[in-house]
Amino acid sequence: MSTPCPMPSASLALPPAQDPRVLRRALGNFATGVTIVTATSPAGERTGVTANSFNSVSLDPPLVLWSLDKRSGSCAVFEQASHFAVNILSSDQIPLSNQFARPNTDKFAGVALREGHGGSLLLEGCAASFQCEKHEVVDAGDHWILIGRVLAFEDGGQAPLLYHQGRYAIAQAHPHLPAGQAA
């Protein structure tokens, strides 16, 4: 039987970053996957945003999270929607990432998609996708953290698109591992 991981009762105060650009550069050392998170409001308004803040939370129950800038024009739709989809982009989907990263009147123009649970929108050709019911929203500084309960998922088996140091990147097997060996 495992014991719960103890959480610290008090946190250590760290000095505030003097320059947000320096902090962003340091955070950029952590390579992330690139996703497009989509949702539809009860009134039928669709939205999608490019996000690299996706993370798994729990396998039992199956929970994932991502964060949304509070200044985003998509906040109202994500607030109203009961479901959202996280679409993990494949390495050849840079144009799609850019399309959803920019404010457009119709980000979905020319995009192959299909509807999932609760109006979540699944983009075609992705490395993976997760259809989620909104589980919890956490106020976290200048962002909202949206936690979703995974209702369904698909694994496209494709190489993911990564983001590292402000640039797109691709995943490669580490050269020091023998061929076929998992980490």
Side-chain angles (χ1 to χ4, degrees):
M1 176 178 215
S2 64
T3 58
C5 179
M7 298 298 289
S9 58
S11 61
L12 300 175
L14 299 175
Q18 299 300 314
D19 183 347
R21 292 174 301 183
V22 174
L23 176 59
R24 181 181 289 266
R25 169 103 178 127
L27 290 169
N29 285 307
F30 185 68
T32 63
V34 181
T35 69
I36 294 175
V37 186
T38 61
T40 304
S41 74
E45 184 179 359
R46 303 184 307 179
T47 195
V49 296
T50 299
N52 67 338
S53 57
F54 172 73
N55 204 3
S56 65
V57 175
S58 170
L59 294 177
D60 186 17
L63 300 174
V64 297
L65 68 76
W66 70 284
S67 60
L68 176 65
D69 191 319
K70 289 180 178 178
R71 298 169 296 174
S72 171
S74 297
C75 281
V77 173
F78 282 109
E79 179 182 3
Q80 297 167 22
S82 61
H83 294 72
F84 59 85
V86 178
N87 298 277
I88 298 177
L89 299 186
S90 63
S91 60
D92 63 350
Q93 292 182 307
I94 290 173
L96 193 59
S97 172
N98 289 336
Q99 183 170 335
F100 280 82
R102 297 183 182 115
N104 296 338
T105 53
D106 185 6
K107 293 181 180 185
F108 294 95
V111 175
L113 58 88
R114 59 193 158 76
E115 190 170 315
H117 288 283
S120 62
L121 301 168
L122 302 167
L123 308 178
E124 296 297 329
C126 291
S129 62
F130 300 87
Q131 299 176 57
C132 303
E133 179 178 40
K134 192 177 349 174
H135 178 74
E136 186 174 355
V137 178
V138 178
D139 185 346
D142 59 3
H143 280 66
W144 296 108
I145 298 172
L146 286 88
I147 301 172
R149 183 181 182 103
V150 177
L151 302 176
F153 68 93
E154 297 174 17
D155 182 351
Q158 299 179 44
L161 179 61
L162 301 181
Y163 196 71
H164 178 255
Q165 285 297 334
R167 295 186 303 257
Y168 291 114
I170 57 173
Q172 293 181 304
H174 198 282
H176 297 297
L177 287 178
Q181 179 182 342

